[in-house]
């Protein structure tokens, strides 16, 4: 089965095409990115402008055509924090659907965390034990922890690298005072959530995904992308601290010249590094394993879980509730433990 995943994020519109079937390792076939920086285009009024919406519609149309040319049997399309937070999201999504035929489903932050956690769990397997997942995006920070495929606890905080560079680090490079103030502010923002995560139990393995973490790991000595996804990569607290002392004195243009840092994201490297430092400090984590699978792979895996081998009852439940709800309803029953977040209902349906 050839599947396409269209991810409309804060920075890029990304198409990933894979060949996969249930129980198999999804094999990437093609990957295409278009940098739109939607989060930066949302105006002071909180809405996406008409011209920006036009560009998004055009990009989605091009991606749909690319997916068809690649032979995709299904295109799973979703949007994250940038669209989620736009005041005119419903209008923009309606335009995309009417003009391209692509039904973009907006994921909540918790859904992002849970799907990314699933990807990390499948990558490392059951031997990883209790997994802590961290993911820094352009608009938000996702966190999840648990020993099963569904995390015991999942959270999303508005601490994305792109968001913070716009709101907290206006100077390039930032001043020492700005860096110090951001560190203190991040500690305050993370305190309550970090306390809940620490109380839920100590992880056996701490894992990080996303371009931000991959770039930070590369800059602290991890293997380059050319070495392949199966080469172990880690980010240590000490290595990150040393890196921050270096990159906080560099401009975005200079950072773009470093190995593993793209020009499209160099402006948010420092803010992303400060978020990484703060969340590791808040959770008492000294080392993170870098997982090559993230949200897109989680979406693919969940789609495959519901693609084959379902009996009539399971299929009927999925059609009524959607795959997210059906899975969690079956796994957790109607009386899940309070505080785990397992009872939240997901309305997204990938079957169309």
């Amino acid at each position: 089965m050839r599947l396409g995943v269209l991810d409309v994020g804060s920075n890029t519109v990304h198409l990933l095409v894979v060949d996969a079937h249930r129980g198999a390792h999804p094999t990437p076939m093609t990957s295409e990115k278009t940098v739109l920086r939607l989060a930066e285009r949302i105006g002071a009024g909180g809405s996406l402008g008409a011209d920006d919406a036009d560009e998004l519609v055009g990009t989605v149309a091009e991606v749909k055509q690319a997916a068809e040319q690649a032979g995709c049997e299904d295109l799973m399309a979703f949007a994250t924090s940038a669209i989620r937070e736009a005041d005119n999201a419903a209008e923009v999504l309606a335009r995309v659907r009417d003009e391209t035929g692509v039904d973009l489903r907006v994921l909540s932050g918790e859904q992002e965390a849970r799907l990314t956690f699933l990807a990390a769990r499948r990558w490392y397997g059951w031997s990883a034990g209790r997994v802590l997942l961290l993911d820094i995006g352009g608009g938000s920070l996702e966190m999840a922890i648990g020993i099963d495929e569904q995390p015991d606890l999942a959270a999303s905080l508005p601490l994305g690298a792109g968001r913070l560079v716009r709101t907290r680090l206006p100077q390039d490079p930032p001043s020492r005072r700005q860096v110090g103030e951001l560190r203190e502010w991040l500690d305050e923002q993370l305190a309550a959530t970090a306390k809940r995560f620490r109380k839920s139990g100590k992880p056996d393995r701490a894992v990080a995904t996303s371009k931000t973490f991959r770039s930070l790991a590369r800059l602290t000595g991890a293997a380059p992308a050319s070495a392949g996804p199966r080469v172990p990569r880690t980010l240590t607290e000490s290595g990150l601290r040393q890196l921050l002392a270096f990159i906080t004195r560099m401009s975005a243009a200079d950072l773009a010249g470093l190995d593993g840092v793209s020009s499209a994201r160099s402006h948010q490297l420092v803010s992303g590094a400060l978020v990484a430092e703060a969340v590791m400090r808040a959770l008492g984590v000294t080392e993170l394993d870098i997982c090559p699978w993230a949200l897109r792979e989680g979406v693919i895996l969940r789609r495959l879980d519901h693609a084959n081998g379902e009996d009539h009852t399971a299929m009927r439940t999925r059609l009524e509730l959607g795959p997210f709800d059906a899975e969690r309803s079956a796994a957790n029953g109607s009386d899940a433990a309070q505080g785990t977040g397992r009872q939240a209902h997901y309305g997204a349906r990938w079957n169309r």
Side-chain angles (χ1 to χ4, degrees):
M1 179 185 297
R2 179 158 292 186
L3 300 173
V5 178
L6 169 58
D7 175 0
V8 178
S10 297
N11 292 304
T12 62
V13 174
H14 190 161
L15 171 67
L16 174 65
V17 176
V18 302
D19 281 348
H21 60 270
R22 191 178 185 186
H25 182 286
T27 303
M29 302 304 294
T30 62
S31 179
E32 300 179 13
K33 294 181 183 179
T34 302
V35 178
L36 290 187
R37 292 185 178 175
L38 290 177
E40 297 179 16
R41 298 181 179 215
I42 295 177
S47 297
L48 196 65
D51 291 342
D52 299 320
D54 288 342
E55 191 168 354
L56 174 60
V57 169
T59 301
V60 171
E62 292 174 0
V63 169
K64 179 185 178 183
Q65 183 178 15
E68 291 172 348
Q69 292 175 345
C72 292
E73 298 176 38
D74 193 8
L75 178 63
M76 299 166 286
F78 64 89
T80 55
S81 63
I83 297 296
R84 183 167 66 229
E85 297 175 8
D87 291 342
N88 60 339
E91 176 186 337
V92 172
L93 293 171
R95 278 200 58 193
V96 171
R97 182 178 61 250
D98 295 343
E99 298 180 33
T100 71
V102 175
D103 194 3
L104 274 179
R105 301 294 183 174
V106 179
L107 296 179
S108 70
E110 184 182 333
Q111 284 176 314
E112 286 189 57
R114 289 181 175 275
L115 286 165
T116 307
F117 181 89
L118 171 65
R121 163 59 71 194
R122 293 279 178 91
W123 180 266
Y124 290 107
W126 296 115
S127 63
R130 187 171 181 79
V131 170
L132 167 68
L133 169 84
L134 304 175
D135 186 332
I136 300 173
S140 58
L141 163 70
E142 273 67 55
M143 305 166 59
I145 190 168
I147 198 166
D148 299 321
E149 290 202 336
Q150 280 290 323
D152 297 327
L153 188 61
S156 179
L157 300 173
L159 302 176
R163 183 194 301 273
L164 295 187
V165 77
R166 293 191 303 273
T167 60
R168 296 279 169 174
L169 296 179
Q171 190 172 314
D172 181 26
S175 67
R176 285 189 178 184
R177 178 178 178 179
Q178 289 173 343
V179 170
E181 290 176 346
L182 180 53
R183 277 191 168 114
E184 292 179 4
W185 183 81
L186 284 169
D187 287 343
E188 295 172 359
Q189 298 300 307
L190 285 163
T193 302
K195 182 177 180 180
R196 291 168 56 211
F197 271 69
R198 290 194 304 269
K199 287 179 66 176
S200 72
K202 184 178 180 180
D204 298 302
R205 191 162 200 160
V207 174
T209 69
S210 79
K211 178 65 174 177
T212 294
F213 276 116
R214 290 197 301 272
S215 295
L216 295 173
R218 176 68 187 120
L219 291 173
T220 57
S226 59
R230 291 178 178 81
V231 175
R233 296 172 174 87
T234 60
L235 175 66
T236 64
E237 182 184 36
S238 60
L240 179 57
R241 188 167 55 248
Q242 293 172 15
L243 178 65
L244 271 165
F246 176 62
I247 64 175
T248 51
R249 300 195 297 266
M250 299 177 65
S251 68
D254 290 335
L255 289 172
L258 299 178
D259 188 20
V261 181
S262 67
S263 58
R265 295 176 182 267
S266 62
H267 66 296
Q268 60 188 47
L269 181 67
V270 171
S271 57
L274 289 169
V275 174
E277 177 196 43
V279 72
M280 291 177 74
R281 180 170 58 246
L283 297 175
V285 174
T286 59
E287 183 173 292
L288 294 168
D289 292 327
I290 307 301
C291 180
W293 280 3
L295 177 58
R296 286 180 289 274
E297 287 77 13
V299 170
I300 292 167
L301 292 167
R302 182 54 68 239
R303 167 68 171 79
L304 292 173
D305 284 347
H306 295 274
N308 303 299
E310 296 172 307
D311 60 25
H312 178 75
T313 301
M315 176 64 81
R316 181 176 178 181
T317 302
R318 181 168 71 93
L319 292 175
E320 291 174 349
L321 299 178
F324 298 113
D325 288 305
E327 176 204 30
R328 294 166 68 187
S329 177
N332 301 307
S334 60
D335 296 311
Q338 185 177 6
T340 64
R342 294 185 178 186
Q343 284 297 304
H345 281 229
Y346 295 148
R349 291 178 174 82
W350 301 117
N351 54 303
R352 302 200 307 275

